[in-house]
């Protein structure tokens, strides 16, 4: 078993001065913590893997392809591989668990 605490992951991510911290990588998936502070720009480009976002905290809009939705704590969004997507209008510091399948390269 591998177990993690969000507070510890957030501290490690911040210490590494990056928006993304991959903390689990297995044969068929990887998991990371993605962070954008209020007002920050999301620099993401489409990925070669399917993704699931689980919003841990914060508020923003998320556009996937041509569709836009509002996300907040508890939101879960699936993003198919290769589809352009971005968080925007980040109104509260956003923390998102990201599951990639297969694992992010």
């Amino acid at each position: 078993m591998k177990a993690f605490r969000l507070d510890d992951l957030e501290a490690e991510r911040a210490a590494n001065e990056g928006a993304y911290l991959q903390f689990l990588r297995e044969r068929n998936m990887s998991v990371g913590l993605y962070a954008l502070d209020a007002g920050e720009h999301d620099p993401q480009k489409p990925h070669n893997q399917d993704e699931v976002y689980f919003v841990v905290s914060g508020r923003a809009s998320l556009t996937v392809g041509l569709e836009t939705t509002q996300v907040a704590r508890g939101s879960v969004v699936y993003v198919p591989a290769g589809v352009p997507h971005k968080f925007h209008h980040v109104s509260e510091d956003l923390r998102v668990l990201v599951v990639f399948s297969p694992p992010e390269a």
Side-chain angles (χ1 to χ4, degrees), residues 1 21 28 47 63 67 75 78 88 94 104:
M1 177 173 79
L21 171 71
N28 294 317
H47 304 283
T63 298
E67 296 181 85
S75 297
Y78 166 68
H88 51 95
L94 191 64
E104 184 180 33

Side-chain angles (χ1 to χ4, degrees), residues 51-104:
E51 293 177 79
V52 173
Y53 288 131
F54 173 71
V55 178
V56 176
S57 62
R59 290 186 179 281
S61 297
L62 173 61
T63 298
V64 178
L66 300 175
E67 296 181 85
T68 299
T69 189
Q70 304 301 307
V71 296
R73 182 176 176 240
S75 297
V76 179
V77 180
Y78 166 68
V79 179
V83 175
H85 57 285
K86 294 236 186 264
F87 290 98
H88 51 95
H89 298 97
V90 180
S91 60
E92 294 177 14
D93 293 353
L94 191 64
R95 300 299 180 265
V96 181
L97 286 178
V98 184
V99 179
F100 285 101
S101 181
E104 184 180 33

